Amino acid sequence: MMNPRLDILLPGFPIGTDQGHPAFCGVFLIEGQDTEGATERILVDAAHVGRRPILNNALAERGLTPGDIDKVVLTHSHWDHVQNIDMFPNATVLIHRDERRYAHMPHANDWATPSWTGLVLEQLPIEEVADGYEIIPGVRVVEMCGHSIGSIGVLIETEHGRAAITGDALHFAYVAQTKRNPLVFWDEDKANQSIERILDLADVIYPGHDRPFRLTSANEIEYTREHRLTVTGMNPDMSSLAFDRDPEWPVWVMPGVDVQPERFQRAQDRIDQRIQNVRRVAVGVSEIEFD
């Protein structure tokens, strides 16, 4: 059996502004064989709707349509990673159990998980996954809790070594050196432990919002690919445009993380009932025929 193949459909970019986050996450395509030898196409993360045309084009360049995707793995449920899951009518969504449930009752300070997130997730069949879950031979799930309650990564045994798609458990390459997650919505200590874990497991890292890289023996970042980005509507000569060249983002821990575990535990029954209600509605809507 051949090793799974990993392809970057959309690169991740470490771009920020003082007017909000463009939030261009990486979107990845894994192609491999299931246990019976049939080809499986697995998408990891789906990006936000502002990138939908680009994602469609990236699939078409590879001779694929959204209908050719068998599974969509969500590293977590933040808006910039999930909005396009409705593009894939034949796919099953793989997500951590806690992440799915939290998306139905996010904390009021959690601006990355809008209150409608749970409704979006339930539009496709869902399979809950946990640490060690084998998606196909050579491709498995690794838990990376901290940035969010159910952050997961994907480990791929490629012909060039073990690659890890991390989502925002490791946003940017420099995080591999600082060992601190710059954006925490659940637990800061666990977020930082997850960074250490994935660095121990993988040879090459595919971060949530940066180029793939490896760490050298001197703990230096060695990018394995280049990418380009064209910014339109402004130019460097504009007097009102400024550039902050500091590659590191200040660490932000969501106010209220200390109450997250107790709050989430208390809400379990209500969350399960909400999921059942939402899925009943989703199934009913899918059965409506339009002329």
Side-chain angles (χ1 to χ4, degrees):
M1 185 175 292
M2 296 180 62
N3 291 92
R5 290 182 295 133
L6 173 58
D7 190 9
I8 300 175
L9 288 182
L10 300 184
F13 293 97
I15 304 170
T17 79
D18 63 354
Q19 297 300 309
H21 301 299
F24 291 155
C25 77
V27 177
F28 308 94
L29 177 66
I30 302 168
E31 293 183 287
Q33 295 177 322
D34 65 17
T35 54
E36 298 180 355
T39 298
E40 285 263 349
R41 295 186 178 93
I42 303 157
L43 198 80
V44 183
D45 286 338
H48 61 66
V49 293
R51 304 189 82 187
R52 184 169 296 207
I54 313 300
L55 181 52
N56 260 319
N57 291 343
L59 288 168
E61 288 170 359
R62 293 157 175 81
L64 300 174
T65 70
D68 293 318
I69 301 301
D70 300 296
K71 295 181 174 69
V72 178
V73 180
L74 294 179
T75 60
H76 60 303
S77 62
H78 288 169
W79 68 276
D80 52 320
H81 293 253
V82 308
Q83 286 185 349
N84 287 325
I85 61 171
D86 64 308
M87 286 177 59
F88 308 100
N90 300 322
T92 297
V93 172
L94 306 186
I95 188 170
H96 192 280
R97 180 186 189 278
D98 290 344
E99 192 76 10
R100 177 188 186 183
R101 280 157 176 74
Y102 177 83
H104 284 269
M105 286 191 68
H107 192 286
N109 294 334
D110 187 346
W111 51 263
T113 313
S115 59
W116 42 256
T117 305
L119 303 178
V120 173
L121 290 179
E122 304 300 334
Q123 302 308 301
L124 287 173
I126 288 180
E127 184 172 356
E128 297 174 355
V129 298
D131 197 60
Y133 177 91
E134 185 179 72
I135 304 173
I136 57 174
V139 181
R140 65 182 174 91
V141 169
V142 57
E143 291 184 1
M144 302 182 69
C145 174
H147 172 69
S148 68
I149 184 175
S151 284
I152 58 175
V154 180
L155 290 178
I156 308 103
E157 303 291 343
T158 75
E159 62 179 339
H160 303 295
R162 181 178 290 170
I165 300 171
T166 68
D168 292 354
L170 199 158
H171 294 73
F172 318 113
Y174 80 79
V175 171
Q177 296 173 316
T178 65
K179 308 294 195 301
R180 296 192 68 190
N181 193 300
L183 196 58
V184 176
F185 294 90
W186 184 256
D187 185 295
E188 186 174 13
D189 288 339
K190 289 181 178 179
N192 297 337
Q193 290 166 13
S194 290
I195 295 167
E196 296 274 11
R197 183 185 187 199
I198 206 66
L199 292 175
D200 288 340
L201 288 173
D203 302 309
V204 180
I205 305 291
Y206 289 70
H209 295 268
D210 206 347
R211 290 173 283 167
F213 71 96
R214 62 171 57 91
L215 285 181
T216 69
S217 57
N219 201 43
E220 295 177 344
I221 294 165
E222 179 181 275
Y223 285 110
T224 64
R225 301 196 190 183
E226 294 296 329
H227 57 227
R228 296 181 179 179
L229 178 70
T230 299
V231 178
T232 60
M234 55 188 61
N235 65 71
D237 297 328
M238 290 180 172
S239 59
S240 59
L241 186 65
F243 292 89
D244 181 356
R245 301 184 185 277
D246 186 349
E248 296 188 14
W249 292 39
V251 174
W252 183 86
V253 178
M254 187 193 79
V257 292
D258 54 322
V259 303
Q260 286 274 55
E262 181 183 355
R263 175 183 174 275
F264 180 69
Q265 191 59 43
R266 288 200 317 264
Q268 289 299 298
D269 290 343
R270 283 181 292 157
I271 292 172
D272 287 342
Q273 185 60 54
R274 176 180 168 89
I275 288 175
Q276 293 176 24
N277 293 340
V278 170
R279 291 204 72 83
R280 279 198 294 268
V281 172
V283 169
V285 170
S286 69
E287 292 176 347
I288 296 175
E289 295 185 4
F290 294 92
D291 296 331

